[in-house]
Amino acid sequence: MTAETGIAVALALASTTLTNVAYLREHDAVATLPELSAAHPLRSAKHLLTDRGWLRGFALESTGFALYVVALALAPLTLVQSLAAGGIGVLAFVSARVGGRALPRHEVVGVVVSIIGLVALAVSLAGGSGEGSGGNVVSIELWLAGTAAAALVVVALGRRFGAVAVSEGIAGGLFFSIGDVSVKVATQGGGRAAFGLTVVLGYGLGTALLQLGYQHGGALTVAGLATLFTNALPIAAGTLVLGEPVPQGALRAVRILAYVAVTAGAILLARRSRR
């Protein structure tokens, strides 16, 4: 593992810790605010921006995002995103401690599986972590457009079938994934810096949906689902769209195990609670 990769790993772990603690603070703040509505965005934004608790949470999230951008500039998307996926374990643990409750069995298993995935990822780094080809611009644009379309469909289905919190968490994660993939592409420089536009759109819409979801469901449900899709899609995009390689031989199997484990852990932790 190179020095740059080591720095990226440390930054990614710090980023996911700050971000997931921020999700809890934002959830607690939003739960006390008047109803937020997508039909009244300016009024909803005013409620958020005048609440000190929410602003403190958002400041933590912004700091985590800044560390994430630096990590992506130093290491492949699949590596950074896999480390971020393990952050949902932080969310589950802190949520339980703050709420004074014990973690349900499926959440304990989810934390353990996530940790196994992170350990496997660390072992696989012995085989290197190449940046890949960077991908074709048209393929990247199609991936982002398809993700956005899926998010809109999820929101529509959630409202129709009464699963608003779940749909807003999933759609928020899908839009965040657009931002994550776009950040990696934009950091490649040159004409690809134009993907900064989809960075803003992805994170802006993802943040809005997350805040709406917080008023309809628990933090672990909404943020957990968002985290799952925020990480699973960019991991797939790194390999399928950006051409990032995986190690050969036994370390290849270990790297794949790591991807599967962090995603499976996120699924277990994102299961809807009874709150």
Side-chain angles (χ1 to χ4, degrees), residues 115-162:
I115 292 173
I116 291 173
L118 293 178
V119 171
L121 184 63
V123 171
S124 76
L125 290 176
S129 53
E131 283 287 351
S133 64
N136 177 274
V137 171
V138 175
S139 297
I140 295 169
E141 291 173 342
L142 288 174
W143 180 278
L144 299 181
T147 303
L152 296 176
V153 170
V154 166
V155 170
L157 291 175
R159 291 180 178 176
R160 180 172 181 178
F161 294 105

Side-chain angles (χ1 to χ4, degrees), residues 3 8 40 53 58 72 110 131 166 178 181 234 240:
H40 303 283
F58 187 69
L72 274 185
E131 283 287 351
V166 170
I178 289 175
V181 174
L240 300 176

Side-chain angles (χ1 to χ4, degrees), residues 225-255:
L225 287 168
T227 300
L228 168 61
F229 286 90
T230 298
N231 294 301
L233 266 69
I235 288 173
T239 301
L240 300 176
V241 181
L242 302 183
E244 294 178 354
V246 293
Q248 298 301 312
L251 290 177
R252 181 187 184 91
V254 174
R255 178 73 62 87

Side-chain angles (χ1 to χ4, degrees), residues 19 21-33 48 51 53-62 176 207 210-211 214:
T19 300
V21 171
Y23 285 161
L24 290 174
R25 291 197 172 188
E26 289 174 357
H27 172 270
D28 291 344
V30 169
T32 65
L33 294 178
L48 293 173
D51 185 89
W54 186 85
L55 287 174
R56 283 193 289 269
F58 187 69
L60 277 179
E61 185 180 355
S62 299
F176 278 140
T207 297
L210 208 61
Q211 309 316 309
Y214 286 155

Side-chain angles (χ1 to χ4, degrees), residues 7-67:
I7 294 171
V9 167
L11 291 175
L13 290 174
S15 170
T16 192
T17 300
L18 289 175
T19 300
N20 282 283
V21 171
Y23 285 161
L24 290 174
R25 291 197 172 188
E26 289 174 357
H27 172 270
D28 291 344
V30 169
T32 65
L33 294 178
E35 185 176 359
L36 305 178
S37 172
H40 303 283
L42 294 180
R43 185 176 66 189
S44 298
K46 181 179 178 181
H47 290 322
L48 293 173
L49 295 175
T50 55
D51 185 89
R52 291 184 179 179
W54 186 85
L55 287 174
R56 283 193 289 269
F58 187 69
L60 277 179
E61 185 180 355
S62 299
T63 303
F65 172 70
L67 296 177

Side-chain angles (χ1 to χ4, degrees), residues 139-210:
S139 297
I140 295 169
E141 291 173 342
L142 288 174
W143 180 278
L144 299 181
T147 303
L152 296 176
V153 170
V154 166
V155 170
L157 291 175
R159 291 180 178 176
R160 180 172 181 178
F161 294 105
V164 178
V166 170
S167 67
E168 288 172 341
I170 293 173
L174 289 171
F175 276 115
F176 278 140
S177 79
I178 289 175
D180 288 348
V181 174
S182 298
V183 166
K184 181 58 184 177
V185 178
T187 57
Q188 294 169 353
R192 297 193 170 201
F195 278 90
L197 177 61
T198 48
V199 171
V200 174
L201 290 174
Y203 287 129
L205 292 172
T207 297
L209 285 163
L210 208 61

